[in-house]
Amino acid sequence: MKTAIYPGSFDPITYGHLDVLKNGAEIFDKVIIAVAKNGEKKGFLPVDKRVELIKEAIRETGLENVEVDSFEGLTINYAEKKGADVLLRGLRAVSDFEYEMQLSQTNSALDEKIKTVFVIAKPEYNFISSSTIKEIYNNNGDISKFVPLCVNKFLQEQRGL
Ligand code: ADP
């Protein structure tokens, strides 16, 4: 059974992330989407909330071979714990490429079993990023086209609308 880990911040999860996840779920037997806890960065939403929203978004999408989790520390150590040697990541623009290549090569240098598989989301979701979503939301814009229903609903409630 081939398991892949899809690590990231998912702060919050977007349709771009979901499309990458859907592709991964078609390629691998199981995908574990795992929210990385970053001690230094406080984040927009607490990690537990991000996990809860991912679970709801997956229910909305109807994906079955996907698990949701969070982890602390190095991704390669988490992957080993889960018996996975593949990391799933998404590529948007050329600007992502340099960072992703460096990350992938670092992880392979730390653990040569680890391979990173990159997926490009559909054009309609490819440009979406959590940071743009936050920017739009903080300026009272409409984010409904970019995030799953549960994320939009939760954030609207937070705003008291
Ligand atoms: P990180 O902080 O690890 O970059 P993100 O939540 O921003 O976490 O992204 C997780 C992964 O998903 C990254 O590989 C990122 O490039 C990818 N990703 C994010 N948004 C999209 C999108 N719209 N299309 C394709 N890949 C995406």
Side-chain angles (χ1 to χ4, degrees), residues 74-76 87 102-114 116:
L74 292 180
T75 308
I76 52 158
L87 304 179
Q102 190 188 32
L103 198 62
S104 158
Q105 289 176 334
T106 306
N107 283 326
S108 296
L110 288 171
D111 180 347
E112 59 183 16
K113 291 191 302 297
I114 294 285
T116 308

Side-chain angles (χ1 to χ4, degrees), residues 6-21 34 36 38 41 50 75 88-93 96-97 99-100 103 116-131 134 146:
Y6 181 22
S9 309
F10 309 107
D11 193 19
I13 186 157
T14 70
Y15 281 142
H17 291 129
L18 270 185
D19 199 52
V20 170
L21 185 64
N38 183 340
K41 235 167 60 181
R50 289 184 228 167
T75 308
L88 176 69
R89 295 284 289 178
L91 283 177
R92 280 163 293 194
D96 277 344
F97 180 77
Y99 171 70
E100 292 290 343
L103 198 62
T116 308
V117 168
F118 295 100
V119 161
I120 295 177
K122 287 200 185 93
E124 60 266 42
Y125 304 133
N126 191 250
F127 62 92
I128 304 171
S129 73
S130 299
S131 46
K134 286 175 258 191
F146 312 125

Side-chain angles (χ1 to χ4, degrees), residues 11-12 44 129-143 159:
D11 193 19
F44 173 59
S129 73
S130 299
S131 46
T132 318
I133 304 293
K134 286 175 258 191
E135 184 88 28
I136 301 170
Y137 173 75
N138 287 333
N139 288 291
N140 298 311
D142 177 12
I143 57 168
R159 194 142 67 186

Side-chain angles (χ1 to χ4, degrees), residues 2-3 6 9 12 15-16 23 26-27 29 31 35 38 48 56 61 72 79 87-88 98-99 129 142 146 151-152:
K2 203 73 180 160
T3 301
Y6 181 22
S9 309
Y15 281 142
N23 278 281
E26 284 172 19
I27 300 169
D29 299 307
V31 179
V35 179
N38 183 340
D48 289 353
E56 252 182 274
T61 318
E72 237 170 328
L87 304 179
L88 176 69
E98 231 172 301
Y99 171 70
S129 73
D142 177 12
F146 312 125
V151 174
N152 188 43

Side-chain angles (χ1 to χ4, degrees), residues 3 5 30 32 67 69-70 77-84:
T3 301
I5 308 288
K30 184 163 100 179
I32 304 173
E67 255 177 54
D69 197 7
S70 61
N77 292 342
Y78 175 72
E80 188 176 5
K81 200 178 101 190
K82 292 287 171 181

